[in-house]
């Protein structure tokens, strides 16, 4: 199990990859963000996107899927998140893109009120297959501290 106490400022993680499909872009948009440029090639072509683009919220969801799988697979003692800071959608995400999710720990803070918990802040960068940044955000994650004997 990986605990708060096992992580250090400056530590970098490659969380993994996500392949964006047209079907998923359309399905997400129909359900959660039904704007024309997320639903129609013709409408998207009339915008700065130039072609069908994924919702930024879909990009967040795909990113979360990658991070959550990594956390489960590496057996981290995560307790969820109170939120994110500085979320930025930098470039469009298109069907056929391969997203890569990376994080770098920028702060570790033991809780004063709950000594069994620590808070991790990480700068997260999502790039496409051309290594172009498409999204960045700072995550705030609660984690269990290593139990004492």
């Amino acid at each position: 199990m990986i605990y708060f106490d096992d992580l250090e400022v400056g530590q970098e993680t490659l969380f993994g990859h996500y392949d964006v499909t047209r079907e998923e872009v359309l399905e997400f948009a129909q359900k959660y963000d039904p704007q024309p440029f997320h639903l129609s090639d013709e409408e998207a072509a009339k915008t700065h996107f130039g072609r069908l683009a994924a919702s930024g919220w879909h990009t967040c969801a795909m990113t979360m899927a990658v991070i959550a799988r990594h956390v489960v697979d590496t057996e981290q003692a995560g307790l969820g998140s109170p939120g994110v800071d500085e979320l930025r959608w930098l470039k469009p995400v298109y069907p056929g893109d391969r997203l890569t999710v990376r994080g770098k720990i920028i702060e570790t803070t033991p809780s004063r009120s709950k000594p069994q918990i620590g808070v991790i802040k990480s700068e997260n960068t999502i790039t496409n297959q051309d290594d172009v940044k498409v999204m960045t955000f700072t995550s705030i994650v609660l984690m269990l501290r290593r139990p004492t004997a």
Side-chain angles (χ1 to χ4, degrees):
M1 181 74 68
I2 296 173
Y3 293 94
F4 167 85
D5 307 272
D6 300 321
L7 303 175
E8 296 179 0
V9 171
Q11 185 173 337
E12 296 185 27
T13 301
L14 170 61
F15 290 107
H17 307 281
Y18 197 99
D19 294 317
V20 183
T21 67
R22 177 180 176 78
E23 295 75 24
E24 193 173 340
V25 168
L26 291 169
E27 181 182 347
F28 186 96
Q30 288 167 352
K31 193 167 185 178
Y32 300 110
D33 193 355
Q35 297 184 75
F37 44 82
H38 297 318
L39 293 168
S40 162
D41 293 306
E42 295 76 23
E43 293 300 317
K46 298 175 188 175
T47 71
H48 65 286
F49 295 118
R51 59 189 170 113
L52 188 71
S55 166
W57 295 111
H58 186 195
T59 303
C60 291
M62 293 182 281
T63 297
M64 188 62 215
V66 172
I67 293 172
R69 283 188 200 107
H70 178 82
V71 167
V72 170
D73 290 347
T74 58
E75 297 183 1
Q76 294 188 24
L79 298 172
S81 172
V84 300
D85 291 332
E86 303 295 324
L87 172 63
R88 298 290 181 266
W89 295 301
L90 305 171
K91 296 285 182 183
V93 170
Y94 299 108
D97 281 355
R98 177 163 211 189
L99 303 180
T100 299
V101 181
R102 292 181 177 87
K104 180 178 180 180
I105 296 174
I106 58 170
E107 186 178 312
T108 60
T109 308
S111 173
R112 291 186 191 132
S113 61
K114 297 179 182 175
Q116 73 278 18
I117 293 175
V119 179
I120 302 284
K121 283 191 177 183
S122 296
E123 290 178 342
N124 298 279
T125 303
I126 297 75
T127 56
N128 65 18
Q129 65 283 351
D130 298 319
D131 205 32
V132 172
K133 288 181 185 179
V134 298
M135 187 175 80
T136 60
F137 66 97
T138 301
S139 62
I140 306 163
V141 177
L142 306 176
M143 289 188 75
L144 284 174
R145 299 202 63 189
R146 183 171 294 287
T148 55

